[in-house]
């Protein structure tokens, strides 16, 4: 039936449901009262008369074919839509499985007509839009039969008025606050399209260049299902179309094609269905042949492009006549890890001065094509691919077949790719021409290929004509393995926002250096780009995943999160973009329960390990996003970014003082960084991926702070990361005594100490200067050795002097207790004092012995029982020099011997060990046992008197004179020969 005269006209029967074969079209007419339309005579339509006689709601069923396949949903597709006639509103859906989904009335569409937002629900019983639109626009809806996959209908707006009318923002099911929808909003700009989500602020999005006018709508239609739909402008007559708007001249028309279907799961699945599975219905079938070619896949891991003109001084120095490419490549390696791709451009704006064509200009570069081939080879040696350019508009200069000329140039210089000037697509002819001479040549279009052209090219650009790129680029959702590059021109101003959004959207960045601007902040921008592309390069498989999800739930407004699962679904990565000037530090990313023994989270932007906040119903990962100057809002400097990875726990790392214990059975290489990994950070070292122990100080020099350990696979991707810290002030063991020539027999004056394991917790009450980590001195194995029964005496040392004539280089306080180089009478058997480490080592070399390590001294003193004193667990003043105000003979207390027969270990003099430690400022060695001297007027003094075996003491090094002390002596050890 038809219903006219300011009416709604349906090809249906009232009060009954029609099969698909009975439905041909649904027409909605909106025109002026008294319209002279040939269909305006209502008396010719008996079914319409029935409508006027009865006051009821007429339901209609529009039936269409189900999909043959559906990647996002499960078994059910949309089979029919039920409308409420008088209001032209949707009231239900039926699935292919016969499930009826009743809903509250929803509009069929909304549109902006002559700057007024209208809804299908605005139609009166006679289907007239309220003033001021009455009588001007006729809307015809025609269902396309036998269409698949999904539902398709044509919506045509016709201008029946006398003035030009505008049509904008046609949104399926209406731009309601409870719907997810996409439409234009705000003042005119190249990118005013926004994504609206219930309860969230709108977010700017980039659409394909042939779909800026597209409307998108989605909403839930039951507990399980949602409907998703798009409206594409597909035809126009007597109309002028622009990016979002259609101007209809009198008698003109514009047609939108609606597509709809059901999906399950979160709202993003509706976008994925339309963008990724259906390619916005731009084409029936996507030719994957280029994407399956192994020789073209290399572009997917390239994230930084530099395009330069041939007259740039960074490329060629006219004064010296030398090319500068190598130095330019080296500079970028230090700032950003190097260019992944470098392209040279010798054509526009010089092309056309004379008859030479674009290929001639390459041939006439200094040194010709032979030199250009050398430059391409130089670039590849630096890990950089070399691109040329093609200007398809060059048709007036010297005639030459462009495909053959391009192929010849590629062949002669071994070019890796071609920048397609002014093109948003390639062609099979261009690709075939390149393929005829060289495998793996990439076509790189100036513009971004629309879905129907993506099958013919594998890379393209987000053009810098978009000066303020929106937050989310939905082109990435269409074909995630299509390589996208945001273009940044330093002449346009700061690049930070665009660089940050490249990471957020998981694609690369092109520095377009064609304009002469080289602002002072450019090196800083290069370094920031290096930080961005490092994350992208090291995690490239995530950013090529077809399963990525945009804009997962964020509890903070103006902070957006994208989720990137690894293709094997074992791990995932999150990118975050923030527009809150104050930054953010707190729970942010929703996560599922984590098997903490198998997985962990790492902030790979700030390089710190994370623990989910599980104190709330929805566990969330904490995130740290930098603050920025509020004045930067709405400029190209605004925003901050971060990235967080969920890794499998593949590395076990333990830091003991400066010894790093690493365990892994995965990957091929481990890299250890002093501080955050970056291309400008040279303090790092690599290790094979296996169980190993490495001394960090030996590898990195003296360093305090964070250590980052990365595990890389054979392709160089990071597959795990751990962090640990060398705490400020941490002492490092920088020297231990060298082994002596081993002895088979017990030397005279020594006792054999058997091998064992030292188990003790050492301490000192004074922690102002940190002592070695107790873990370093606990449960340490000790090999067998011989030890002097007594400390070295004055008499022993006199023999050494007489035999060697030893004189210290700096004699200050040397043997200060002797008189005229003679031992005081009666002190021959007392321990020698007023010596320093150098003096003790000189004596040890003469005897072919060495100083003990602290652990050797500890083991010799305590034995297996870990007792507190050499003789037992209780202090006994009769077993050591405890009360005498000076040194005593070393053999005065035989009852104070240790379990291994070593005497005079505590109370007489402090005894040097050979362990030398350094921290950021000081050097010291360890002395043990205490001495006779015990100052008592203040607790600030070094603790005097005999010291228990769990007390340690440092001796700070200054000058030789200060390092010699009246209470410090030594004893020696010798290594045992193997049996």
């Amino acid at each position: 039936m038809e219903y006219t005269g300011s009416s709604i006209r349906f090809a249906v029967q009232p009060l009954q449901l029609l099969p698909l074969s009975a439905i041909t079209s649904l027409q909605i007419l909106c025109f002026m009262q008294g319209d002279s339309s040939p269909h305006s005579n209502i008396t010719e339509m008996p079914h319409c008369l029935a409508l006027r006689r009865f006051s009821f709601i007429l339901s209609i069923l529009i039936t269409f074919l189900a999909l043959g396949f559906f990647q996002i949903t499960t078994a059910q597709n949309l089979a029919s839509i039920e409308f409420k006639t008088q209001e032209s509103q949707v009231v239900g859906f039926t699935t292919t499985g016969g499930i009826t989904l009743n809903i509250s009335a929803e509009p069929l569409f909304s549109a902006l007509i002559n700057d007024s937002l209208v809804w299908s629900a605005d139609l009166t019983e006679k289907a007239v839009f309220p003033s001021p639109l009455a009588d001007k626009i006729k809307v015809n809806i025609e269902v396309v039969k036998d269409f698949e996959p999904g539902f398709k209908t044509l919506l045509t707006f016709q201008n029946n008025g006398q003035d030009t009318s505008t049509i904008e923002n046609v949104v399926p099911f209406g731009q309601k606050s409870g719907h997810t929808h996409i439409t234009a909003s705000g003042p005119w700009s190249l990118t005013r399209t926004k994504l609206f989500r219930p309860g969230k602020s709108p977010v700017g999005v980039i659409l394909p260049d042939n779909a800026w006018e597209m409307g998108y709508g989605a909403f839930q239609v039951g507990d399980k299902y949602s409907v998703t739909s798009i409206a594409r402008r597909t035809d126009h007559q007597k109309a002028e179309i622009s990016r979002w708007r259609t101007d209809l001249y009198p008698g003109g028309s514009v047609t939108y094609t609606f597509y709809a279907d059901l999906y399950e799961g979160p709202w993003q699945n509706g976008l994925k269905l339309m963008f990724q599975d259906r390619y916005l219905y731009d084409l029936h079938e996507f030719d994957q042949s280029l994407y399956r070619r192994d020789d073209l896949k290399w572009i997917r891991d390239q994230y930084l492009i530099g395009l330069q003109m041939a007259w740039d001084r960074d490329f060629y120095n006219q004064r010296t006549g030398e090319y500068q490419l190598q130095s330019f490549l080296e500079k970028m390696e230090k700032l950003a890890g190097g260019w992944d791709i470098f392209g040279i451009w010798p054509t526009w704006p010089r092309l056309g001065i004379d008859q030479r064509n674009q290929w001639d200009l390459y041939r006439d570069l200094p040194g010709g094509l032979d030199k250009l081939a050398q430059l391409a080879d130089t670039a590849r040696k630096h890990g950089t691919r070399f691109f040329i350019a093609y200007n398809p508009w060059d048709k007036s200069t010297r005639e030459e077949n462009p495909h053959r000329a391009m192929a010849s140039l590629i062949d002669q210089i071994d070019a890796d790719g071609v920048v397609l000037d002014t093109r948003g697509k390639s062609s099979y002819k261009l690709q075939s021409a390149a393929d005829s001479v060289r495998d793996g040549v990439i076509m790189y279009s100036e513009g971004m290929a629309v879905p129907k052209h993506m099958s013919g090219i594998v890379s393209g650009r987000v053009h810098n004509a978009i000066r303020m790129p929106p937050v989310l680029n939905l082109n990435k959702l269409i074909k995630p393995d299509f390589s996208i590059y945001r273009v940044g021109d330093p002449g346009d101003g700061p690049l930070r926002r665009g660089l940050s959004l490249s990471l957020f959207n998981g694609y690369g960045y092109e520095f377009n250096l064609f304009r002469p601007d080289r602002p002072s902040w450019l090196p800083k921008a290069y370094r920031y780009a290096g930080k961005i592309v490092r994350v992208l390069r090291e995690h490239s498989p995530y950013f090529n995943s077809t399963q990525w999800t945009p804009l997962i739930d964020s509890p903070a407004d103006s902070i957006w999160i994208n989720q990137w699962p690894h293709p094997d679904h074992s791990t995932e990565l999150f990118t975050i973009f923030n527009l809150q000037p104050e930054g953010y530090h707190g729970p942010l990313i929703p996560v599922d329960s984590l098997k903490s023994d198998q997985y962990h989270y790492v902030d790979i932007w700030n390089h710190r390990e994370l623990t989910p906040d599980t104190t709330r119903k929805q566990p969330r990962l904490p995130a740290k996003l930098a603050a920025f100057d509020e004045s930067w809002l709405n400029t190209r400097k605004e925003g901050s970014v971060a990235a967080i990875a969920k890794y499998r726990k593949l590395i076990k790392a333990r830091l003991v003082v400066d010894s790093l214990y690493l365990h892994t059975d995965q990957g091929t290489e481990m890299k250890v960084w002093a501080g955050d990994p970056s291309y400008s950070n040279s303090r790092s070292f690599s290790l094979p991926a296996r169980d190993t122990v490495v001394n960090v100080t030996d590898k990195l020099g003296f360093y305090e702070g964070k250590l980052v350990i990365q595990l890389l696979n054979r392709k160089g991707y990071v597959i795990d990361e751990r962090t640990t810290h060398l705490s400020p002030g941490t002492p490092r063991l920088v020297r231990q005594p060298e082994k002596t020539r081993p002895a088979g027999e017990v030397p005279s004056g020594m006792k054999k100490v058997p091998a064992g394991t030292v188990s003790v917790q050492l301490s000192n009450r004074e922690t102002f200067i940190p002592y070695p980590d107790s873990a370093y001195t606990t449960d340490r194995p000790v090999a067998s050795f011989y030890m002097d029964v007594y400390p070295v005496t004055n008499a022993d040392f006199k023999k050494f002097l007489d035999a060697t004539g030893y004189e210290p280089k700096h004699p200050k306080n040397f043997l200060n207790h002797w008189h005229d180089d003679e031992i005081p009478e009666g002190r021959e058997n007392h321990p020698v004092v007023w010596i320093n480490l150098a003096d003790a080592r000189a004596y040890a070399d003469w005897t072919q012995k060495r100083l003990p390590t602290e652990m050797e001294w500890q083991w010799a003193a305590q034995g297996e029982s870990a007792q507190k004193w050499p003789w037992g667990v209780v202090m006994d003043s009769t077993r050591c020099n405890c009360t005498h105000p000076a040194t005593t003979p070393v053999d005065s207390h035989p009852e104070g011997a240790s379990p291994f027969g070593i005497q005079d270990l505590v109370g007489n003099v402090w005894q040097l060990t050979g362990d030398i430690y350094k921290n950021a400022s000081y050097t010291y060695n360890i002395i043990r046992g205490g001495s006779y001297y015990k100052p008592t007027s203040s607790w600030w003094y070094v603790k005097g008197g005999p010291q228990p075996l769990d007390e340690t003491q440092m001796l700070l090094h200054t000058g030789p004179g200060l390092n010699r002390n009246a209470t410090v002596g030594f004893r020696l050890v010798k290594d045992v020969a193997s049996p």
Side-chain angles (χ1 to χ4, degrees):
M1 82 176 225
E2 294 182 336
Y3 178 41
T4 60
S6 304
S7 65
I8 305 176
R9 187 182 302 149
F10 298 104
V12 299
Q13 298 177 4
L15 298 177
Q16 69 184 72
L17 303 179
L18 298 182
L20 177 63
S21 59
I23 300 176
T24 57
S25 67
L26 170 63
Q27 295 179 312
I28 303 175
L29 300 178
C30 311
F31 49 85
M32 299 174 62
Q33 296 291 337
D35 191 294
S36 59
S37 166
H39 302 293
S40 63
N41 187 356
I42 194 167
T43 61
E44 296 176 5
M45 298 183 227
H47 295 298
C48 289
L49 292 174
L51 271 177
R52 298 183 65 185
R53 286 193 299 266
F54 298 98
S55 171
F56 56 79
I57 296 177
L58 174 65
S59 294
I60 67 169
L61 196 66
I62 302 175
T63 308
F64 53 92
L65 296 177
L67 296 174
F69 63 92
F70 196 23
Q71 294 181 15
I72 298 299
T73 69
T74 54
Q76 300 293 330
N77 296 336
L78 191 60
S80 60
I81 303 174
E82 188 174 352
F83 283 88
K84 185 177 180 181
T85 304
Q86 288 178 309
E87 296 178 332
S88 289
Q89 290 182 294
V90 179
V91 293
F93 301 89
T94 302
T95 72
T96 52
I99 300 172
T100 299
L101 305 169
N102 296 318
I103 61 171
S104 299
E106 296 284 355
L108 174 64
F109 70 89
S110 66
L112 197 63
I113 302 178
N114 294 344
D115 296 325
S116 295
L117 182 63
V118 298
W119 308 75
S120 56
D122 290 337
L123 298 169
T124 67
E125 185 183 51
K126 294 184 177 181
V128 177
F129 281 118
S131 179
L133 297 179
D135 312 329
K136 293 185 178 180
I137 303 296
K138 178 174 71 174
V139 182
N140 180 77
I141 296 180
E142 179 183 355
V143 175
V144 178
K145 300 185 344 181
D146 300 325
F147 175 79
E148 63 178 15
F151 168 76
K152 178 179 179 181
T153 187
L154 304 177
L155 173 62
T156 300
F157 296 83
Q158 183 170 332
N159 184 4
N160 287 341
Q162 301 301 312
D163 299 319
T164 299
S165 290
T166 61
I167 308 293
E168 301 174 82
N169 292 22
V170 178
V171 178
F173 307 116
Q175 53 185 77
K176 299 181 64 176
S177 61
H179 293 188
T180 299
H181 61 279
I182 295 175
T183 192
S185 176
W188 195 95
S189 72
L190 282 178
T191 52
R192 55 189 289 263
T193 299
K194 293 183 176 61
L195 168 65
F196 295 82
R197 298 167 292 157
K200 301 287 186 180
S201 298
V203 56
V205 296
I206 297 178
L207 296 177
D209 277 339
N210 67 344
W212 285 106
E213 86 301 330
M214 185 190 78
Y216 172 86
F219 64 98
Q220 194 166 351
V221 296
D223 294 336
K224 187 176 182 180
Y225 300 105
S226 299
V227 65
T228 179
S229 56
I230 59 173
R232 301 288 307 275
R233 184 174 60 192
T234 51
D235 194 17
H236 63 280
Q237 303 293 329
K238 296 182 66 176
E240 184 176 338
I241 63 171
S242 58
R243 205 171 182 87
W244 293 279
R245 170 173 165 164
T246 303
D247 292 323
L248 291 181
Y249 302 127
S253 66
V254 61
T255 297
Y256 283 79
T257 302
F258 276 43
Y259 302 92
D261 212 334
L262 294 177
Y263 69 94
E264 296 179 28
W267 66 268
Q268 295 95 332
N269 283 356
L271 283 178
K272 289 182 181 182
L273 176 62
M274 287 299 173
F275 281 76
Q276 193 172 108
D277 293 355
R278 306 290 169 78
Y279 298 100
L280 301 180
Y281 289 92
D282 239 20
L283 68 171
H284 179 68
E285 185 177 355
F286 195 97
D287 181 0
Q288 300 279 0
S289 58
L290 288 184
Y291 294 85
R292 291 178 180 142
R293 283 178 49 175
D294 290 337
D295 65 316
L296 299 179
K297 290 180 180 178
W298 64 265
I299 188 68
R300 300 177 191 176
D301 294 333
Q302 313 302 302
Y303 291 99
L304 192 61
I305 297 179
L307 295 187
Q308 197 175 55
M309 288 185 164
W311 35 89
D312 194 309
R313 282 190 293 272
D314 279 337
F315 180 68
Y316 181 75
N317 187 320
Q318 298 178 52
R319 183 178 61 82
T320 63
E322 295 179 349
Y323 283 97
Q324 306 299 306
L325 179 60
Q326 178 156 322
S327 62
F328 189 46
L329 295 173
E330 291 171 349
K331 179 178 78 172
M332 283 304 297
E333 286 173 347
K334 295 175 182 177
L335 293 171
W339 299 113
D340 293 317
I341 295 168
F342 174 83
I344 193 60
W345 185 287
T347 56
W348 175 88
R350 280 191 55 147
L351 186 59
I353 288 180
D354 59 18
Q355 293 84 355
R356 285 177 295 179
N357 66 28
Q358 57 185 301
W359 317 110
D360 293 327
L361 299 186
Y362 280 98
R363 297 171 185 128
D364 287 348
L365 285 172
L369 296 186
D370 288 343
K371 185 61 179 179
L372 204 57
Q374 291 178 21
L375 294 175
D377 185 60
T378 296
R380 278 186 291 275
K381 288 177 179 177
H382 284 266
T384 301
R385 306 284 185 138
F386 195 86
F387 276 29
I388 59 171
Y390 169 46
N391 308 107
W393 47 267
D394 177 22
K395 298 179 180 180
S396 298
T397 55
R398 187 179 70 81
E399 186 175 350
E400 186 174 7
N401 182 288
H403 298 102
R404 285 199 294 267
M406 181 190 75
S408 176
L409 181 58
I410 291 170
D411 184 38
Q412 291 182 74
I413 71 169
D414 285 339
D416 299 293
V418 182
V419 181
L420 303 180
D421 185 30
T422 70
R423 298 285 290 270
K425 61 180 180 179
S426 181
S427 70
Y428 289 105
K429 280 188 176 181
L430 282 171
Q431 189 67 55
S432 296
D435 293 341
S436 69
V437 296
R438 181 173 168 82
D439 290 338
V441 177
I442 297 295
M443 298 294 132
Y444 175 51
S445 58
E446 178 178 357
M448 180 75 199
V450 300
K452 64 184 177 182
H453 295 147
M454 279 185 172
S455 60
I457 191 168
V458 297
S459 64
R461 308 155 93 223
V462 182
H463 204 284
N464 57 308
I466 301 174
R467 295 193 72 255
M468 287 283 287
V471 168
L472 182 66
N473 191 339
L474 288 173
N475 286 290
K476 180 68 175 178
L477 195 61
I478 296 170
K479 198 80 176 74
D481 50 359
F482 181 95
S483 297
I484 301 174
Y485 299 87
R486 163 63 184 169
V487 179
D489 180 345
D492 288 334
L495 307 176
R496 188 178 184 87
R497 188 179 195 272
L499 282 163
S500 297
L501 287 173
S502 286
L503 175 57
F504 178 70
N505 286 286
Y507 51 64
Y509 197 85
E510 175 200 310
F511 279 87
N512 189 287
L513 302 172
F514 288 178
R515 286 207 280 184
D517 308 65
R518 298 296 182 268
S520 61
W521 47 259
L522 187 56
K524 185 176 181 180
Y526 285 148
R527 281 190 291 271
Y528 187 65
K531 186 169 184 178
I532 294 289
V533 299
R534 186 175 196 96
V535 175
L536 294 165
R537 288 166 175 162
E538 292 178 340
H539 302 86
S540 191
Y542 296 88
F543 299 113
N544 287 291
S545 170
T546 60
Q547 302 301 313
W548 79 280
T549 301
L551 306 187
I552 66 171
D553 176 54
S554 171
D557 204 13
S558 298
I559 298 179
W560 298 278
I561 310 165
N562 287 338
Q563 182 181 32
W564 309 85
H566 192 277
D568 67 8
H569 300 283
S570 62
T571 54
E572 61 188 355
L573 190 145
F574 303 91
T575 54
I576 312 163
F577 183 66
N578 163 58
L579 281 181
Q580 292 186 0
E582 65 274 20
Y584 185 87
H585 194 184
L588 185 68
I589 300 174
V591 292
D592 297 327
S593 57
L594 184 70
K595 295 181 179 179
S596 58
D597 59 330
Q598 298 180 26
Y599 297 95
H600 68 129
Y601 291 102
V602 179
D603 179 341
I604 56 175
W605 183 256
N606 298 298
H607 297 282
R608 59 193 187 115
E609 297 190 48
L610 304 175
T611 302
D613 180 353
T614 58
T615 60
R616 56 194 74 201
K617 184 176 180 181
Q618 170 65 69
R620 290 188 182 270
L621 279 175
K624 183 178 181 181
L625 291 137
F628 58 91
D629 194 313
E630 191 171 2
S631 67
W632 293 358
L633 279 172
N634 301 312
T635 75
R636 289 159 57 97
K637 297 167 71 174
E638 70 176 357
S640 57
V641 72
I644 292 173
K646 174 186 175 183
Y647 291 128
R648 287 190 297 143
K649 286 185 175 179
L650 302 178
I651 308 172
K652 291 181 180 178
R654 183 169 63 96
L655 186 65
V656 180
V657 189
D658 59 347
S659 293
L660 184 60
Y661 293 77
L662 296 169
H663 166 77
T664 186
D665 56 5
Q666 302 287 321
T668 58
E669 178 187 358
M670 290 183 290
K671 195 156 190 179
V672 182
W673 297 83
D676 291 347
S678 77
Y679 296 115
S680 58
N681 182 1
S682 61
R683 299 187 75 176
S684 66
F685 61 90
S686 295
L687 300 165
R690 61 171 183 253
D691 292 358
T692 188
V693 182
V694 62
N695 185 276
V696 175
T697 304
D698 289 346
K699 293 288 187 178
L700 297 176
F702 201 89
Y703 168 78
E704 295 182 335
K706 179 166 60 176
L707 291 173
V708 177
I709 305 106
Q710 293 181 314
L711 179 63
L712 283 65
N713 66 13
R714 60 183 180 83
K715 292 185 176 180
Y717 302 137
V718 174
I719 56 176
D720 193 16
E721 180 174 304
R722 305 307 296 257
T723 59
T724 186
H725 287 78
L726 275 167
S727 299
T730 298
R732 326 295 177 74
L733 183 63
V734 296
R735 181 172 177 178
Q736 282 191 306
E738 296 181 0
K739 295 291 186 180
T740 67
R741 177 178 296 177
E745 300 288 334
V746 179
S748 175
M750 304 187 87
K751 292 279 189 179
K752 184 175 184 180
V753 179
T757 299
V758 182
S759 179
V760 66
Q761 183 74 33
L762 298 176
S763 65
N764 187 287
R765 68 180 183 182
E766 180 56 74
T767 59
F768 178 73
I769 300 173
Y771 276 80
D773 193 322
S774 61
Y776 187 53
T777 57
T778 301
D779 297 331
R780 293 293 303 274
V782 177
S784 179
F785 58 93
Y786 303 113
M787 178 174 265
D788 289 340
V789 174
Y790 304 109
V792 174
T793 65
N794 288 313
D796 296 330
F797 206 81
K798 183 70 167 62
K799 292 177 184 177
F800 158 64
L801 295 178
D802 292 343
T804 65
Y806 171 78
E807 292 183 1
K809 183 177 181 180
H810 301 284
K812 177 72 173 178
N813 286 334
F814 178 60
L815 300 175
N816 198 36
H817 61 306
W818 290 17
H819 305 294
D820 297 327
D821 299 330
E822 294 294 333
I823 302 170
E825 186 177 352
R827 297 290 185 94
E828 290 81 3
N829 203 32
H830 286 229
V832 66
V833 291
W834 290 108
I835 44 85
N836 61 20
L837 269 175
D839 304 330
R841 286 179 183 143
Y843 177 87
D845 290 343
W846 176 66
T847 62
Q848 298 184 3
K849 300 177 184 178
R850 61 175 174 83
L851 290 168
T853 67
E854 184 178 16
M855 287 302 99
E856 287 172 333
W857 191 97
Q858 185 75 35
W859 177 242
Q862 72 173 39
E864 294 182 358
S865 62
Q867 56 199 27
K868 205 166 186 178
W869 301 93
W871 53 84
V873 296
V874 178
M875 171 60 181
D876 185 343
S877 61
T878 66
R879 295 173 182 259
C880 62
N881 183 358
C882 183
T883 58
H884 199 276
T887 59
T888 58
V890 296
D891 57 359
S892 298
H893 302 92
E895 64 278 10
S898 77
F900 302 119
I902 309 301
Q903 297 187 35
D904 208 28
L905 284 159
V906 298
N908 204 8
V909 291
W910 293 99
Q911 295 169 34
L912 293 169
T913 69
D915 295 346
I916 310 299
Y917 292 92
K918 286 186 178 181
N919 56 32
S921 302
Y922 309 133
T923 301
Y924 62 81
N925 72 298
I926 297 298
I927 54 178
R928 298 300 302 275
S931 77
Y932 67 88
Y933 180 64
K934 187 176 183 179
T936 58
S937 64
S938 174
W939 68 279
W940 290 105
Y941 292 118
V942 170
K943 196 173 182 182
Q947 296 299 301
L949 300 182
D950 59 359
E951 288 283 338
T952 187
Q953 177 63 46
M954 68 175 63
L955 180 63
L956 291 162
H957 293 187
T958 311
L962 194 59
N963 292 344
R964 297 183 177 107
N965 298 272
T967 57
V968 178
F970 67 102
R971 71 172 75 230
L972 300 177
V973 299
K974 191 173 181 67
D975 293 297
V976 175
S978 299

